Amino acid sequence: MGGFLAQIIMKVLSYIEERLEKGPMHFTLIDPDKQSPDRAGIIAEEAERAGTDVIMVGGSAGIDLYTLDTTVKEIRKNVNCPVILFPGDVSGVSKFADAIFFMSLLNSQNTYYITGAQAVGAKAVKLAGVEPISMAYLIVEPGGAVGWVGEAKPLPRNKPSLTAAYALAAQYLGFRLIYLEAGSGAPSPVPVELIEAVKATVDIPVIVGGGIKNREDAEKVIKAGANIIVTGTAVEEAKNAYSKVKEIVQALGGE
Ligand code: 1GP
């Protein structure tokens, strides 16, 4: 561990790209609204000890700056790995994080979520001094709360070519990462056929999240080609965050 801090001058995106050359990664998502900052710090520490590579902080609902800052500070204090913001809206910017996923919800029906919020929030990102990492965000059925809030037209689970078309457009538009999102707490993860179709089409790293609850789910998603898997709910609801992350990272093939 300590790989990121040991290379502190390295930008977070370069760190991720370099780390991916060794194999897939696991990110743990913490929603600052779901627990106290102290508890968030403990979960992050346990997750890193169990092998997670990055802590993401965010949620689909708006968040007040005080809670966000306090949570990010507590997490930053407890881990060596990068802490990346995963904003649900323009309120999700904290200067205490290392980077922010500067996202565009490409399949939203409301331009606010494609370019509007980005224009409103860009200056705050610059002033905060966190590294923006451009990421295309694609919502797949069922899409959950984030699909509803983001006014997405969720990509159909049985039409992989549609998701692949959006993914290729994302690459050609210059996004550095693609996030396939089934929605937090989705009954099942993004279907393997969709992940395979996207991986056969694009060269940039593909992140998959939503509904990955156990090692079996994680294995399917990794086998389909996901470069990074994200778990939030399963870690949050586990009695023991360490054991849950340990179980899921085993799917990465490291042990
Ligand atoms: C949500 O993809 C993330 O934005 C994680 O989903 O909470 O279902 O793990 P889960």
Side-chain angles (χ1 to χ4, degrees):
M1 298 301 128
F4 170 65
L5 271 198
Q7 308 166 56
I8 194 81
I9 15 162
M10 191 179 227
K11 291 279 176 84
V12 178
L13 179 61
S14 316
Y15 172 76
I16 292 171
E17 287 172 342
E18 208 165 278
R19 167 60 187 77
L20 282 175
E21 284 170 21
K22 289 193 238 150
M25 299 172 82
H26 177 262
F27 292 5
T28 297
L29 172 63
I30 296 180
D31 184 340
D33 245 358
K34 300 258 175 81
Q35 67 285 293
S36 68
D38 282 354
R39 176 79 195 130
I42 293 167
I43 295 174
E45 187 273 321
E46 289 183 11
E48 182 179 48
R49 199 156 38 83
T52 205
D53 297 291
V54 163
I55 304 294
M56 288 165 56
V57 184
S60 43
I63 180 82
D64 70 280
L65 188 58
Y66 178 76
T67 306
L68 179 65
D69 275 349
T70 319
T71 303
V72 172
K73 261 201 268 184
E74 197 58 31
I75 293 171
R76 182 61 285 160
K77 195 175 82 189
N78 284 14
V79 298
N80 291 312
C81 67
V83 178
I84 306 181
L85 300 165
F86 181 56
D89 209 328
V90 294
S91 57
V93 184
S94 168
K95 65 180 176 191
F96 300 105
D98 302 302
I100 183 167
F101 284 135
F102 201 78
M103 304 148 69
S104 177
L105 204 181
L106 292 188
N107 62 321
S108 176
Q109 294 187 287
N110 184 339
T111 56
Y112 175 77
Y113 294 102
I114 305 172
T115 53
Q118 293 73 6
V120 175
K123 195 170 176 190
V125 171
K126 187 169 184 167
L127 292 174
V130 291
E131 175 189 342
I133 298 176
S134 79
M135 180 164 88
Y137 195 43
L138 300 179
I139 297 193
V140 174
E141 288 175 340
V146 73
W148 189 87
V149 172
E151 295 174 50
K153 192 171 169 186
L155 288 152
R157 293 177 79 85
N158 61 353
K159 293 270 182 287
S161 60
L162 288 179
T163 303
Y166 267 91
L168 188 57
Q171 177 173 325
Y172 288 169
L173 283 165
F175 290 96
R176 304 298 295 270
L177 301 169
I178 291 171
Y179 193 125
L180 302 179
E181 171 73 87
S184 188
S188 58
V190 172
V192 295
E193 296 78 12
L194 257 66
I195 302 168
E196 284 166 356
V198 168
K199 285 299 295 177
T201 309
V202 302
D203 309 306
I204 56 177
V206 175
I207 305 178
V208 177
I212 300 172
K213 294 177 282 297
N214 49 40
R215 178 175 176 168
E216 198 190 340
D217 289 339
E219 269 167 0
K220 281 189 201 149
V221 167
I222 292 287
K223 211 174 277 169
N227 301 100
I228 297 167
I229 57 171
V230 179
T231 46
T233 309
V235 177
E236 209 171 81
E237 289 179 354
K239 282 203 189 83
N240 184 325
Y242 173 83
S243 319
K244 185 42 88 174
V245 174
K246 192 88 191 155
E247 174 197 331
I248 290 172
V249 297
Q250 277 171 6
L252 303 183
E255 39 194 298

